[in-house]
Amino acid sequence: MSDPLRDPAEFPRRLYVRTFGCQMNEYDSLRVQRLLAPLGYVTVDEIEDADVIFLNTCSVREKAEQKVHSFLGRLRRLKNRRPHLKIIAGGCVAQQLGEKLLSRFEHLDIVLGTRGIGSIARLLEEVLEGGPRVACLPEADPSLAPGEEAFAEGNISAPVTIMQGCNNYCTYCIVPYVRGPERSRPVGEILREIRSLEDSGVREILLLGQNVNSYGRGLKDRATFVDLLRLIARETGVQRVRFTTSHPKDLTEDLMLCFAELGVLCKHLHLPVQSGSDRILSAMNRCYTAGDYLGKIRRLRAICPEIALTSDVIVGFPGESEEDFTGTMDLLREVRFDNLFSFRYSDRPNTRASAFPDKVDPAIGTRRLVELQSFQAEITLEKNLAETGLFREVLVEGPSKASNGQMTGRTTQNRIVNFEAPEWTSGKIVTVKITGAYSHSLRGSVILGPSTRPGNPITP
Ligand code: SAH
Ligand code: SF4
Ligand code: F3S
């Protein structure tokens, strides 16, 4: 009898991918699918069916890391039932713990560091051939050859990593330790990847980096992030470009002007502020004051009044007083973000803040978080309600998961809209009249007729 794992011609090999953490990890998980496809792997939705499980892990907060440990723990039983199952852990917990993760979970076969994704096919083959369990944590990341980038088939919107790592060392953050120093990918490689995504039907790209504003430092091309945006607008045919994340200290006037000048650039900026207190911002090593931040927001809104703004906030940072917290609430009141991601501070290994005195009582941190989140929820809903009656251009991404027969897409400001439309509208920009608003999405009805975008006729 053929061995289901050694004979992909007769039995497809089934890959189950579970991703925790940020869009960087989403991108790497798409790469894993692409890298394993030549070995015959198809991605399945049910973990019970898997021959190989790839778990992409996150360690940005303690809770995220706990989720990974409990997920891995639960896989022990599955492996007992399916002894041929191979389990691979990648991402930031894998990078942080390396060999320790292998010894802690004896049913884990491969630990792959954040720069080890490119080796996945070789390592998996070796393990399938009876090789030992292995932790692979390379120091350097080779550039991505064609065919090694993320898997994009069927996607309308796709991520493209433009830089890895981070040099900012915000005192709370583990990312520089697990993702290494900042490295930018060469312009040519990025443009080539975008063109190949276009060929496979992608209409929108999301440029990824921990701090995209510093893109290009150390590159031979001498290109800046603004140069890269202009090149993408000029030399590729993608209809929409988004990017994340920007660091407020590096947000330049030039980049702000791109929102007014470049038609392909979506009118949305994610600009994490973290706190509204200068004392806390300084302890976080963020290198700007609340006043600097507000000044940049004012300027940006003057340049591009319709821009949507989202942000990240941490409450309960060591030493945060009620007054500091009030400063954060005041900033939220002043900016009125369209959406916000907020977290209670969590100690991370190696970070400077983990050694700071004056840790905030977790109960106080939680109380502040609840207060902040309910305040922001009102603003988010008010802003969504204000969309009612407006006509918005929506890039249709496909059938909506939630509601039957509906299609889903996003406005340039990044709001999700669900509406009735034929499936062939997928990948097109349509005009939608917004008819209803909820906390996380909008409802609308499509205005049939030629789209306002040239070269994008709304006909099948
Ligand atoms: N590079 C991005 C974000 C990286 S992590 C940036 O610079 O903004 C995403 C968010 O997680 C951060 O913006 C921060 O709000 C939050 N975060 C990071 N470390 C944290 C910690 N130790 N405790 C709580 N939240 C944290
Ligand atoms: Fe972490 Fe700061 Fe770097 Fe963002 S900029 S990844 S928060 S160290
Ligand atoms: Fe998490 Fe690593 Fe991203 S720690 S947030 S997966 S860079």
Side-chain angles (χ1 to χ4, degrees):
M1 206 177 94
S2 316
D3 174 349
L5 280 173
R6 304 303 316 139
D7 195 352
E10 267 181 60
F11 301 91
R13 298 162 162 193
R14 288 156 298 191
L15 168 71
Y16 177 85
V17 178
R18 179 67 182 269
T19 309
F20 294 97
C22 65
Q23 282 145 326
M24 298 281 188
N25 268 10
E26 302 279 350
Y27 180 81
D28 286 343
S29 289
L30 290 169
R31 279 194 68 207
V32 164
Q33 291 182 51
R34 177 85 175 260
L35 290 164
L36 294 184
L39 305 188
Y41 282 96
V42 289
T43 307
V44 292
D45 294 332
E46 294 297 327
I47 194 166
E48 300 282 330
D49 296 336
D51 303 311
V52 170
I53 294 174
F54 178 71
L55 171 63
N56 210 347
T57 65
C58 173
S59 55
V60 75
R61 284 169 292 276
E62 197 182 346
K63 234 200 223 155
E65 192 177 333
Q66 274 163 3
K67 267 198 225 159
V68 168
H69 287 273
S70 67
F71 188 87
L72 271 171
R74 287 199 303 274
L75 291 182
R76 189 173 285 125
R77 283 228 307 278
L78 186 62
K79 184 126 173 185
N80 286 341
R81 274 187 282 126
R82 292 172 71 78
H84 76 277
L85 178 67
K86 298 293 172 213
I87 304 174
I88 308 172
C92 296
V93 177
Q95 178 70 37
Q96 186 194 332
L97 297 179
E99 293 277 351
K100 280 192 216 138
L101 204 60
L102 267 194
S103 27
R104 173 146 183 205
F105 298 99
E106 72 283 356
H107 54 292
L108 185 57
D109 296 281
I110 301 172
V111 170
L112 210 53
T114 50
R115 280 163 272 187
I117 299 287
S119 310
I120 192 167
R122 177 179 56 81
L123 294 173
L124 180 58
E125 286 284 87
E126 283 170 14
V127 164
L128 287 172
E129 270 155 25
R133 301 162 66 224
V134 58
C136 169
L137 307 166
E139 291 269 307
D141 32 9
S143 54
L144 305 193
E148 293 185 355
E149 309 104 338
F151 171 86
E153 215 171 284
N155 293 350
I156 300 302
S157 179
V160 173
T161 294
I162 62 165
M163 60 193 300
Q164 316 254 16
C166 183
N167 289 347
N168 284 315
Y169 289 93
C170 303
T171 54
Y172 51 81
C173 186
I174 198 170
V175 171
Y177 304 94
V178 286
R179 292 274 167 173
E182 185 183 293
R183 298 93 68 197
S184 294
R185 289 178 68 196
V187 174
E189 196 179 300
I190 295 168
L191 290 177
R192 191 197 65 219
E193 179 166 347
I194 294 174
R195 290 194 191 102
S196 108
L197 288 168
E198 258 184 273
D199 292 344
S200 67
V202 167
R203 294 284 167 264
E204 175 185 274
I205 52 156
L206 173 63
L207 305 174
L208 296 179
Q210 296 296 351
N211 178 17
V212 292
N213 308 66
S214 61
Y215 172 81
R217 273 180 214 161
L219 270 187
K220 278 205 298 281
D221 312 324
R222 294 236 156 264
T224 64
F225 182 57
V226 169
D227 296 334
L228 181 68
L229 286 178
R230 291 191 195 285
L231 274 170
I232 294 171
R234 203 171 56 224
E235 294 187 15
T236 77
V238 283
Q239 295 194 316
R240 283 184 168 186
V241 178
R242 301 182 185 276
F243 61 84
T244 195
T245 300
S246 276
H247 195 303
K249 76 177 161 61
D250 299 319
L251 174 62
T252 59
E253 174 91 6
D254 262 7
L255 181 55
M256 295 189 204
L257 290 169
C258 287
F259 285 104
E261 287 169 11
L262 301 178
V264 290
L265 187 59
C266 286
K267 299 196 178 344
H268 167 224
L269 180 66
H270 183 65
L271 195 65
V273 65
Q274 311 299 358
S275 170
S277 150
D278 290 347
R279 214 172 56 82
I280 296 296
L281 285 170
S282 159
M284 287 175 162
N285 189 33
R286 290 291 287 180
C287 308
Y288 55 84
T289 63
D292 297 336
Y293 186 91
L294 290 170
K296 290 202 177 184
I297 297 290
R298 253 176 247 127
R299 180 74 191 126
L300 188 58
R301 283 182 165 154
I303 291 171
C304 181
E306 67 274 46
I307 197 154
L309 292 164
T310 57
S311 197
D312 293 347
V313 166
I314 297 175
V315 298
F317 186 81
E320 186 189 70
S321 64
E322 280 307 316
E323 201 187 333
D324 295 318
F325 174 63
T326 305
T328 301
M329 294 293 277
D330 289 345
L331 186 135
L332 300 195
R333 193 172 296 112
E334 175 146 4
V335 177
R336 289 179 59 81
F337 289 109
D338 292 81
N339 207 351
L340 186 74
F341 302 88
S342 46
F343 314 97
R344 196 182 66 172
Y345 168 79
S346 153
D347 264 342
R348 302 316 291 133
N350 302 319
T351 61
R352 272 167 54 208
S354 65
F356 286 179
D358 305 331
K359 293 283 157 61
V360 171
D361 179 340
I364 294 179
T366 302
R367 199 248 303 139
R368 288 178 187 163
L369 189 62
V370 169
E371 190 183 327
L372 182 145
Q373 288 180 338
S374 68
F375 179 63
Q376 179 60 41
E378 281 173 33
I379 298 176
T380 302
L381 184 59
E382 279 167 27
K383 291 211 148 193
N384 284 352
L385 285 166
E387 293 282 303
T388 317
L390 299 179
F391 293 86
R392 291 293 192 198
E393 284 195 348
V394 172
L395 173 62
V396 188
E397 290 178 19
S400 154
K401 280 193 194 113
S403 29
N404 36 6
Q406 300 229 323
M407 299 294 276
T408 191
R410 271 171 304 148
T411 64
T412 169
Q413 283 99 346
N414 211 27
R415 289 194 169 82
I416 296 170
V417 191
N418 295 307
F419 47 88
E420 270 173 35
E423 285 216 11
W424 55 256
T425 53
S426 203
K428 298 198 187 303
I429 292 177
V430 297
T431 304
V432 174
K433 183 176 185 195
I434 307 302
T435 54
Y438 311 96
S439 351
H440 301 292
S441 66
L442 304 175
R443 190 162 25 87
S445 56
V446 170
I447 309 301
L448 285 174
S451 159
T452 42
R453 283 278 169 93
N456 181 40
I458 180 171
T459 43

